[in-house]
Amino acid sequence: MTVRQLQSPRGPASLLVILCGCAIACLTFGPRATAGLLLTPISETNGWGRDVFALSFAIQNLLWGIGQPFAGAVADRFGTRRVLAAGGLLYAAGLALMPLSASPGAMHITAGAMIGLALSGASFSIVIGAFGKLLPPEWRTIGFGLGTAAGSLGQFLFTPFAAALISAYGWQATVLVFAALMLLVVPLSLPLATRAAQPGPSGPAASSQSIGQALGEAFRTPSYWLLVIGFFTCGFHLAFVTAHLPPFLLDKHISASVGGWTLALIGLFNIAGSLGSGVLSSRMAKRRLLAAIYFARAVLISAFVFLPVTPMSALAFGAGIGLLWLSTVPPTSGIVVTLFGPRYLTMLYGFVFFSHQLGSFAGVWLGGELYERTGSYDLVWQIAIALSVMSGLINLPIRERPVARLASAPAPAE
């Protein structure tokens, strides 16, 4: 973001859009980043194994992914403000009802289904779609990076906050505080309002396309499928680490406070990682950046699990994985808008994100299931490493060129 861009006629309006979008991303990402801190006290209160709340969190991730393309289509059709506000209200309701969920089924509904569907309407994916429509082209890449970094700021702020609240008042009061904070999404959504029939900057060819035509075009594009498949790994890593890293550290006789600070460091360092990824996405081939991120994850996870696990190694892992945490989002969303333009970005990114959430479901569910079966997380860590290598290879053949419909637009350098 340059001084000239800020002083342009669209600068102040763009800055307001970014600030409110980042605030929403921070608020909505924060509570779900504390799942690993909530897993143990919720399980102990209700006399459950780790697999019960892990399944609730897995359902949350799955329904978030299933609902995301539909929420994106509604946002593209009717505007983002209504979708964000409705998602924020449902999020608050799901959190507020968690203390009343004394059975596994009830917890699956509140912490799982309600919050999962709420996130599909109030998450940073909808914010990214709004950025793609409301921001001028020169602001988009940095906007994607800032929105992603804001989610990580939420993780950094909420994890020690949650640890302190749980210690002082219990997990029930903690989720009620979170529920009250989610109500702020409603007023923050006002500057992110978009028009249903707003033509995209790519011109008439983009604005005249129907939703069905946009989906057909995307599903016929091999590079889009490669992006969808590769993003599965990102979800697997994020959800597994978020939910199971604190219990994994407890098994290694490392205190819960270290687990909380490890998650906080992930959020803190991801601010730098996301912003750096946003800058790099505008200066190098995005597919190569994605491949490098996944290969780096494989190396880092291998070093963490195959070397002795100590409080210092846990904190170092948090810092390292934080740099790579959501740094996949700016190049991934950037490739989608490069391929198809911004008109249906929210919906098309939603389908990519659905793959991410399938990975999240697998990571959380397998973490709990395999732990209960084997008594350790070793196999899940090994799966995470293998998936990293696979996604690094899958992203390399992606072609970063607009589809034929947009062939008249200048293609980005590869």
Side-chain angles (χ1 to χ4, degrees):
M1 186 184 307
T2 65
V3 174
R4 176 177 292 182
Q5 290 168 356
L6 185 59
Q7 292 177 341
S8 70
R10 301 179 68 175
S14 296
L15 186 59
L16 179 62
V17 167
I18 289 176
L19 289 174
C20 289
C22 288
I24 291 173
C26 179
L27 283 170
T28 57
F29 196 84
R32 69 176 306 275
T34 67
L37 300 177
L38 293 169
L39 188 151
T40 299
I42 288 177
S43 300
E44 290 177 349
T45 297
N46 294 287
W48 299 334
R50 293 182 186 179
D51 54 331
V52 176
F53 186 69
L55 180 57
S56 294
F57 193 57
I59 291 171
Q60 178 189 123
N61 282 283
L62 181 62
L63 289 183
W64 181 6
I66 291 174
Q68 192 68 73
F70 297 99
V74 172
D76 286 334
R77 177 65 181 85
F78 298 103
T80 58
R81 178 179 59 83
R82 293 181 178 87
V83 176
L84 286 168
L89 292 173
L90 184 59
Y91 202 159
L95 287 166
L97 291 173
M98 280 178 61
L100 303 177
S101 305
S103 69
M107 188 64 72
H108 296 338
I109 292 173
T110 56
M114 290 180 68
I115 294 179
L117 292 174
L119 283 165
S120 70
S123 69
F124 64 90
S125 298
I126 300 296
V127 171
I128 283 175
F131 283 0
K133 293 180 175 64
L134 296 173
L135 298 179
E138 64 271 17
W139 285 67
R140 277 187 204 136
T141 301
I142 190 64
F144 293 159
L146 286 168
T148 307
S152 298
L153 179 62
Q155 179 170 342
F156 174 70
L157 295 175
F158 272 74
T159 45
F161 182 45
L165 284 176
I166 292 170
S167 176
Y169 304 106
W171 70 267
Q172 296 91 339
T174 301
V175 296
L176 290 177
V177 171
F178 290 170
L181 290 174
M182 291 310 103
L183 297 176
L184 294 174
V185 172
V186 177
L188 288 169
S189 67
L190 295 176
L192 275 72
T194 58
R195 297 179 181 177
Q198 183 181 9
S202 298
S207 60
S208 63
Q209 190 183 38
S210 70
I211 289 178
Q213 290 170 335
L215 289 174
E217 180 180 69
F219 293 148
R220 290 191 302 269
T221 305
S223 291
Y224 184 71
W225 278 109
L226 293 173
L227 200 64
V228 168
I229 295 169
F231 215 34
F232 177 94
T233 295
C234 186
F236 187 99
H237 290 164
L238 268 61
F240 170 67
V241 170
T242 298
H244 293 287
L245 181 61
F248 170 77
L249 294 176
L250 287 175
D251 292 343
K252 301 293 184 181
H253 308 291
I254 297 173
S255 69
S257 63
V258 173
W261 279 109
T262 300
L263 292 178
L265 282 177
I266 291 174
L268 178 64
F269 277 80
N270 188 50
I271 296 173
S274 298
L275 291 174
S277 176
V279 173
L280 289 174
S281 293
S282 64
R283 299 182 180 181
M284 64 180 291
K286 300 173 184 63
R287 68 185 187 278
R288 292 175 184 157
L289 178 58
L290 281 171
I293 291 169
Y294 286 120
F295 289 142
R297 285 189 187 186
V299 173
L300 183 61
I301 294 173
S302 298
F304 177 57
V305 298
F306 292 124
L307 293 174
V309 179
T310 66
M312 287 304 299
S313 73
L315 295 172
F317 174 74
I321 201 70
L323 290 172
L324 308 169
W325 191 247
L326 288 174
S327 57
T328 56
V329 173
T332 298
S333 53
I335 289 174
V336 175
V337 77
T338 296
L339 291 173
F340 308 110
R343 177 65 182 92
Y344 290 107
L345 171 62
T346 318
M347 179 183 65
L348 295 179
Y349 179 77
F351 277 99
V352 179
F353 190 74
F354 173 59
S355 175
H356 183 283
Q357 294 310 100
L358 286 178
S360 296
F361 177 87
V364 176
W365 176 73
L366 279 177
E369 188 71 17
L370 293 179
Y371 178 86
E372 293 298 323
R373 290 176 179 269
T374 67
S376 80
Y377 290 111
D378 292 348
L379 183 56
V380 192
W381 285 117
Q382 293 166 18
I383 293 171
I385 295 167
L387 288 173
S388 295
V389 176
M390 179 201 74
S391 286
L393 296 173
I394 282 177
N395 278 278
L396 287 175
I398 290 175
R399 295 168 63 91
E400 297 177 46
R401 296 176 182 172
V403 293
R405 175 178 54 85
L406 302 175
S408 58
E414 291 198 23

